[in-house]
Amino acid sequence: MVRVISQETYDEVVRENIEELDMTPEEAIKEAIEQFKAQDVDLSNIIKDLSLQKNTDDITCCIKRLSECAKTAEHEHATPLLNKLKAELDKDIARRVFAGKNGAYTTLLDVITSCKDEPLLLRTALKTMTSLMTGNPDLLDDAGVSLQKSLLDANHSDSQTLQLILKWIRECCIKHEINRQKIFSAGILENLKSVLSEKDASVSVVKEVCVVLRTLTLDDDIRHNYGKAHEHAAAIARQTLFTLTELLSTHKTDKIIVGEIMLTAASLIVRNEFCQEFEDAGGLQFILDVFTDYPEVEKINWQALKLLKNLAGNDDVKAHIVTSGISPLIIYAIKRLKSSEAVVTAGLACISALTLKSPSNAGVFYDCGAVSVIIDAIKTYPKSANVIQQASWAIRNMSVRNNQEAREFIAYGIEDLLNDALQFHGENLEDDIKAALRDLGLKVNLKERWTGKNRAVTNE
């Protein structure tokens, strides 16, 4: 188990090394770090550099003076103090944790509250608050959530300030389930929906809104076994999915915002009806246009493939995806961008999803040359667990009930490739690879997972 210590404990060991062992500051710090690492102590939250005392003094001094500025409403000295504090906070997580323990969060809340009517100072304060909470979201409390909501209500037409508010909210949501629930419960969705519905909303603001929507659907807090990612995604989809789909057409010439919207839609499509709603709004045609308009753009192709894979969760939409002519475009995208592991993985996942329990769809992919693409992917990325897993799933789904066509995999030497992958990846991908070999009708040594205890089976 990884252990943690306080900043004070670390400082004391460094001082002891200097005073009692007559080490130089450099030697004392090096020795302290090696000592704690040998004990499996996590030092990521510890300030370790030589100018320790000066840096901590700078941070505490800034916090104290900013607190005075907030109390007296005398803001002429606040901007340089905020910039100085932000510069320290941006150095590492250790300084952010130290500042949080010394009242930086409460002080910055007071500063932001006291300068709501001063846009320039407010923006500087928001930047500093975001720096403080980057990777350090535990600081957020009910007062902070309330302030975020009031700022959104008051700054919906100020695009620069609105972007900074949204960035602060985004950092609060990453790896923190309770923060996400609090922010969502505060009614922030209404503000985000309103921003998306504005005809003159800037591209930068729309992008930040999309990022916040996605962070509200995350399930990345290991401290909580059960979150509300699905509930949030469903609620957001009901209110924003149609608007997001319309925005795809509005911003179709901007590849950055198009990618952000597709990625957001992919995170929201968690039910059958949302897949259908996206298709009904013309989403499939737009994805087809993306593949043809941006054939060489790695990121946007990856985003389109990810969205297609999620849309395939609806059987009717899955059939329409294949009949619309997107299947060859998926194959071409993987071929063109085969140097991108992310695109290859997403493309194989897309093939797997579209051919699941659909022999007719699998037949289309055979005709499109999917076999050679999958074989090439395995040869190109033999050490990538993600690629091998997705390739194994795609092979399985394409082979079931397509025995004649599956022989093409065997002709390309898939047996040796999968056995080599099995030997390299071992237990991590054993079930996936062996299932692919089994469904191809090839030799595979299956393990008996459970055996009886030599007792007769009775039926009472």
Side-chain angles (χ1 to χ4, degrees):
M1 175 182 284
V2 176
R3 301 166 58 198
V4 294
I5 60 170
S6 66
Q7 183 72 54
E8 292 75 15
T9 300
Y10 174 84
D11 296 345
E12 182 61 29
V13 171
V14 173
R15 277 191 290 270
E16 287 178 359
N17 288 343
I18 294 173
E19 296 170 3
E20 298 180 11
L21 301 179
D22 198 26
M23 292 182 176
T24 65
E26 292 89 345
E27 292 172 338
I29 289 175
K30 182 179 179 181
E31 175 64 24
I33 292 173
E34 291 177 353
Q35 178 182 341
F36 285 121
K37 286 187 175 179
Q39 300 172 30
D40 289 330
V41 175
D42 181 6
L43 296 178
S44 60
N45 291 346
I46 300 299
I47 303 175
K48 299 178 282 289
D49 62 12
L50 295 176
S51 52
L52 169 67
Q53 192 63 44
K54 180 181 182 302
N55 280 316
T56 55
D57 284 348
D58 285 346
I59 292 172
T60 53
C61 181
C62 284
I63 294 170
K64 183 178 179 180
R65 293 179 64 187
L66 283 169
S67 180
E68 293 171 356
C69 289
K71 290 177 181 177
T72 60
E74 296 178 358
H75 297 150
E76 60 270 17
H77 302 300
T79 298
L81 288 170
L82 288 167
N83 288 329
K84 186 176 182 180
L85 179 58
K86 183 180 185 300
E88 287 297 322
L89 298 175
D90 286 341
K91 290 180 179 179
D92 55 41
I93 183 64
R95 287 170 173 78
R96 297 194 282 276
V97 171
F98 176 84
K101 290 179 178 178
N102 285 271
Y105 172 74
T106 303
T107 297
L108 289 175
L109 280 186
D110 292 340
V111 172
I112 293 171
T113 302
S114 66
C115 67
K116 283 184 177 181
D117 299 325
E118 301 178 48
L120 293 178
L121 181 56
L122 175 59
R123 292 168 195 162
T124 304
L126 287 168
K127 290 177 184 177
T128 307
M129 177 65 91
T130 302
S131 292
L132 173 67
M133 299 193 68
T134 299
N136 190 30
D138 286 355
L139 295 171
L140 188 69
D141 57 10
D142 291 341
V145 175
S146 178
L147 180 58
Q148 289 173 344
K149 183 66 169 70
S150 65
L151 288 171
L152 286 174
D153 291 339
N155 293 278
H156 57 86
S157 59
D158 182 350
S159 62
Q160 292 185 50
T161 304
L162 185 55
Q163 287 179 63
L164 295 172
I165 299 168
L166 293 170
K167 287 179 179 179
W168 175 25
I169 294 172
R170 174 192 66 194
E171 292 301 331
C172 294
C173 291
I174 296 174
K175 294 185 178 179
H176 207 294
E177 178 62 27
I178 299 303
N179 284 358
R180 288 192 286 265
Q181 294 183 23
K182 285 183 177 180
I183 291 170
F184 195 84
S185 298
I188 188 178
L189 182 55
E190 285 300 320
N191 297 93
L192 301 179
K193 179 183 176 182
S194 176
V195 172
L196 290 176
S197 301
E198 292 179 5
K199 293 182 179 180
D200 57 347
S202 71
V203 169
S204 299
V205 170
V206 172
K207 178 183 175 181
E208 290 300 331
V209 170
C210 287
V211 174
V212 172
L213 290 176
R214 293 201 301 273
T215 58
L216 287 169
T217 66
L218 291 175
D219 186 18
D220 57 357
D221 191 342
I222 62 175
R223 296 170 294 184
H224 296 269
N225 293 328
Y226 304 101
K228 292 190 175 181
H230 183 88
E231 291 88 336
H232 289 174
I236 295 170
R238 291 190 190 96
Q239 298 204 41
T240 67
L241 188 57
F242 184 79
T243 303
L244 286 169
T245 310
E246 288 186 323
L247 286 173
L248 283 173
S249 298
T250 304
H251 299 284
K252 62 182 179 180
T253 58
D254 189 322
K255 61 185 178 184
I256 294 178
I257 196 64
V258 165
E260 290 291 337
I261 293 173
M262 288 197 299
L263 202 57
T264 304
S267 69
L268 301 180
I269 295 172
V270 294
R271 294 185 181 176
N272 259 2
E273 63 264 31
F274 301 145
C275 300
Q276 192 64 58
E277 181 180 341
F278 184 85
E279 184 195 6
D280 293 343
L284 288 187
Q285 180 59 47
F286 189 85
I287 295 175
L288 193 151
D289 292 340
V290 164
F291 282 124
T292 55
D293 293 342
Y294 303 101
E296 305 301 330
V297 183
E298 174 186 338
K299 188 173 182 179
I300 201 170
N301 276 264
W302 168 74
Q303 291 160 330
L305 290 167
K306 186 176 177 65
L307 176 55
L308 275 177
K309 185 255 185 184
N310 288 9
L311 287 168
N314 181 306
D315 287 342
D316 292 334
V317 176
K318 178 165 67 176
H320 295 158
I321 290 172
V322 174
T323 57
S324 69
I326 291 181
S327 300
L329 299 179
I330 296 171
I331 301 301
Y332 297 153
I334 301 173
K335 283 184 177 179
R336 283 194 312 270
L337 301 167
K338 65 179 181 180
S339 61
S340 168
E341 183 179 338
V343 170
V344 171
T345 303
L348 295 177
C350 206
I351 294 173
S352 174
L354 290 169
T355 56
L356 178 64
K357 298 180 181 180
S358 180
S360 60
N361 285 359
V364 173
F365 277 99
Y366 276 112
D367 294 339
C368 293
V371 173
S372 62
V373 165
I374 294 172
I375 295 289
D376 189 46
I378 296 174
K379 290 180 178 178
T380 305
Y381 299 100
K383 297 181 180 180
S384 170
N386 289 331
V387 170
I388 299 301
Q389 184 180 60
Q390 296 299 337
S392 298
W393 291 353
I395 292 169
R396 284 195 63 191
N397 294 343
M398 288 180 64
S399 301
V400 175
R401 302 178 189 173
N402 291 78
N403 296 331
Q404 293 297 322
E405 293 92 337
R407 293 177 181 176
E408 188 177 349
F409 280 111
I410 301 173
Y412 274 94
I414 190 65
E415 185 173 13
D416 289 339
L417 290 174
L418 288 178
N419 281 321
D420 289 344
L422 180 60
Q423 186 174 359
F424 180 83
H425 293 281
E427 293 183 357
N428 291 334
L429 297 180
E430 182 179 13
D431 291 343
D432 301 308
I433 296 173
K434 285 187 174 182
L437 288 167
R438 179 201 64 205
D439 289 345
L440 285 168
L442 298 171
K443 181 180 179 181
V444 56
N445 295 318
L446 300 174
K447 291 182 180 179
E448 191 172 14
R449 299 295 186 184
W450 180 86
T451 59
K453 301 298 183 182
N454 297 321
R455 294 179 183 177
V457 177
T458 60
N459 185 12
E460 296 180 355

